[in-house]
Amino acid sequence: MTNIPDPASPVDPGTIAQAGPLLASLEQILQDEHSVVRLPDDVAALDPADAAKVRAVVTSGRVGVPTDLMAALPNLEIVTNFGVGYDTTDVAQAAARGIQVTNTPDVLTDCVADTALGLMLDVFRRFGASERFLRDGKWESGGFPLTRRFSGSTVGVLGLGRIGQAIARRAAAFDTTIVYTTRRPVEGVPWEHVASAVELARRSDVLVVAVPGGPSTVNLVDAEVLRALGPDGFLVNIARGTVVDEDALIEALEAGEIAGAGLDVFANEPNVPERLIRDDVTLLPHVGSGTQETRQDMRDLTLANLRAYLAGEQLPTPVPETSGV
Ligand code: NAP
Ligand code: 8YV
């Protein structure tokens, strides 16, 4: 581990570790307030004596504390995750060992929902493609092909949690019809619950994925769901790449079985399959929460969780699996 010495630290050196890169200002505060150690990317390079000192790990959804790293940290007490999604952290092991995990819900909901709306508008109206058309000097040879109307369409929301509901509220302002799927119907919302992802896709002009990643949602959007979406239907994914069977998506696009896709997330980031880089696919490099304001809010909530843990206070935003909720 790389020691970043800070003699003013209020906690013992070596007790707080960082896994993976973090927002620069978060890294700076962690250095200023604590004696932070940076864990090696390769768990095999972790010295067992160093590992035994680690009580807290600060990480991001991109890296997390996976099974092997958690197993190598025998005295770990808390994982504070920068991000609402924590599918890269082994929460089952954490729960079994009494390790707490925190995340950053709510503060990013608006920006991620804004991103979903941007992707939806782009796949229907093809603003990005038409801008490329103009920049490439093609306008003089004729107008851009007609696109599809988003207003008044049917939007299927797969996962109607914090972000899914924010997407639905925004889409409803475009006079769309909202339908959704969750394992349990959500009380108090004005939208129709449908029984399955296949049924949802069949009903939708655009299927928006907003479920968490992790083992229970791997390939939830598979070839059958894509076939149900049909040749006029679009897929938008702002959740996790693992939720969509990427090979099935490529095959559906190449066969014209769906109309197009808008993707902020991929199965193996930052690697994007060459075959997905197509004109009918809008591709974003996982920027859903990527505004200065939201990333600062995420940083502050990450720190609030860490500080609460260090002070022995109630954690602001523990994840349900490790908080007994
Ligand atoms: P949330 O409030 O926990 O909502 C998750 C929703 O998914 C709930 O409605 C849940 O309802 C539903 N769900 C879970 N498993 C399901 C399944 N198998 N089938 C159908 N519905 C299912 O989470 P959130 O705050 O909205 O965040 C959602 C996810 O967005 C995060 O976990 C993260 O992966 C992703 N995200 C991406 C970005 C980005 O930058 N692109 C940023 C933030 C978050 P039930 O439990 O009743 O099924
Ligand atoms: C972050 C995210 O970009 O919160 C999430 O789940 O996917 C994004 O907000 C990511 O967690 C940072 O690694």
Side-chain angles (χ1 to χ4, degrees):
M1 295 193 290
T2 312
N3 267 300
I4 305 164
D6 176 13
S9 171
V11 296
D12 291 340
T15 56
I16 300 176
Q18 174 182 332
L22 294 169
L23 184 72
S25 63
L26 175 57
E27 289 194 353
Q28 188 61 55
I29 294 168
L30 288 170
Q31 283 185 39
D32 291 347
E33 291 189 7
H34 312 289
S35 184
V36 177
V37 295
R38 178 75 183 261
L39 295 170
D41 293 340
D42 180 4
V43 184
L46 187 57
D47 180 86
D50 285 341
K53 292 180 196 159
V54 174
R55 286 195 298 142
V57 172
V58 184
T59 187
S60 73
R62 200 169 125 200
V63 172
V65 181
T67 306
D68 55 350
L69 176 57
M70 196 174 282
L73 302 172
N75 298 310
L76 186 62
E77 293 174 8
I78 187 167
V79 175
T80 56
N81 182 60
F82 176 91
V84 69
Y86 48 90
D87 45 299
T88 49
T89 287
D90 184 349
V91 281
Q93 184 183 161
R97 287 176 50 191
I99 298 165
Q100 309 217 53
V101 179
T102 67
N103 66 344
T104 61
D106 299 316
V107 293
L108 44 62
T109 294
D110 284 339
C111 277
V112 182
D114 294 349
T115 304
L117 262 291
L119 284 171
M120 282 198 271
L121 284 168
D122 199 68
V123 294
F124 278 78
R125 299 298 310 277
R126 309 195 66 213
F127 294 129
S130 57
E131 202 224 18
R132 288 194 294 278
F133 176 89
L134 182 153
R135 282 176 190 267
D136 291 347
K138 294 180 180 165
W139 194 3
E140 286 170 12
S141 332
F144 189 75
L146 299 181
T147 60
R148 294 271 308 283
R149 179 160 60 193
F150 174 61
S151 290
S153 65
T154 297
V155 176
V157 186
L158 180 56
L160 197 78
R162 292 168 291 241
I163 294 171
Q165 289 185 38
I167 293 169
R169 284 195 301 273
R170 283 159 172 72
F174 287 79
D175 297 326
T176 61
T177 300
I178 309 292
V179 283
Y180 75 95
T181 296
T182 46
R183 290 167 300 183
R184 291 166 296 276
V186 179
E187 283 179 24
V189 298
W191 308 301
E192 184 188 349
H193 180 266
V194 301
S196 69
V198 171
E199 179 59 18
L200 185 71
R202 192 171 291 125
R203 294 274 302 273
S204 304
D205 295 309
V206 54
L207 181 67
V208 190
V209 184
V211 293
S216 66
T217 57
V218 171
N219 292 349
L220 190 58
V221 176
D222 59 9
E224 189 187 1
V225 172
L226 294 169
R227 265 195 305 278
L229 191 54
D232 292 330
F234 298 100
L235 177 75
V236 165
N237 186 8
I238 52 76
R240 284 290 182 266
T242 52
V243 182
V244 175
D245 180 338
E246 221 163 60
D247 292 333
L249 173 60
I250 290 167
E251 281 164 25
L253 286 162
E254 290 178 348
E257 285 177 355
I258 67 168
L263 308 171
D264 185 44
V265 288
F266 302 89
N268 182 28
E269 296 172 9
N271 303 305
V272 176
E274 197 64 39
R275 285 164 68 198
L276 263 186
I277 303 177
R278 308 163 44 93
D279 213 40
D280 55 2
V281 182
T282 302
L283 304 137
L284 301 179
H286 200 146
V287 293
S289 67
T291 63
Q292 293 182 20
E293 295 87 346
T294 288
R295 289 288 165 85
Q296 283 168 18
D297 290 345
M298 291 164 67
R299 174 198 68 196
D300 293 347
L301 188 49
T302 303
L303 287 167
N305 278 292
L306 180 65
R307 289 170 182 149
Y309 154 75
L310 291 171
E313 293 167 358
Q314 195 174 348
L315 301 174
T317 49
V319 307
E321 291 90 332
T322 62
S323 67
V325 173

